[in-house]
Amino acid sequence: MGVEIDRFSRLARALPGCAHRDSDSYTTFRVADRPFGYLWPRTATVGLKQTLLEQAALVAERPEVFEVQFTAGGFGWVVVHLDGIGLDELSELTLEAWYLTAPEELRAAAPTPVALAGA
């Protein structure tokens, strides 16, 4: 189990309309100029937008893999430790983060989690 940093980056960039911005310590992944994910290579963690219910469920279920990052605008962001998650689950969570952020016209082109994992 575990997902490499480069593998997550490829996965996120495969989503329709995804753009990324690198800074000194992290990369922001955006769709329609709104963030849906962050990558911190130094800690091998990502931050993903989720619903508040999903945020609470993930953290309660596996606190060694998921942490509360913050809440904003009715959404709960989670920190995901890449060494504790499988590619299939990470693909689902990344797709959900993108879906919660993408404009409606892009959502119709969303890949399945399985197709995204293969990207």
Side-chain angles (χ1 to χ4, degrees):
M1 184 181 290
V3 176
E4 294 180 0
I5 291 168
D6 290 341
R7 185 67 190 94
F8 169 77
S9 186
R10 284 196 330 263
L11 182 136
R13 287 181 291 182
L15 288 161
C18 178
H20 66 283
R21 293 186 192 151
D22 295 323
S23 73
D24 289 340
S25 57
Y26 63 92
T27 300
T28 305
F29 294 92
R30 298 174 170 272
V31 61
D33 206 35
R34 297 184 338 205
F36 68 89
Y38 296 91
L39 167 65
W40 294 277
R42 185 179 61 77
T43 58
T45 57
V46 298
L48 294 172
K49 185 179 192 178
Q50 298 295 303
T51 66
L52 291 171
L53 289 174
E54 185 69 10
Q55 177 196 51
L58 290 168
V59 172
E61 181 181 301
R62 290 186 309 189
E64 71 281 4
V65 177
F66 302 105
E67 299 174 34
V68 171
Q69 185 176 11
F70 63 91
T71 59
F75 296 99
W77 288 72
V78 294
V79 173
V80 182
H81 293 265
L82 292 175
D83 62 354
I85 193 166
L87 181 59
D88 290 343
E89 183 179 18
L90 184 60
S91 295
E92 288 179 26
L93 293 173
T94 304
L95 181 58
E96 180 66 19
W98 175 88
Y99 195 85
L100 290 169
T101 310
E104 189 173 338
E105 62 271 12
L106 282 180
R107 285 188 232 144
T112 66
V114 172
L116 187 57

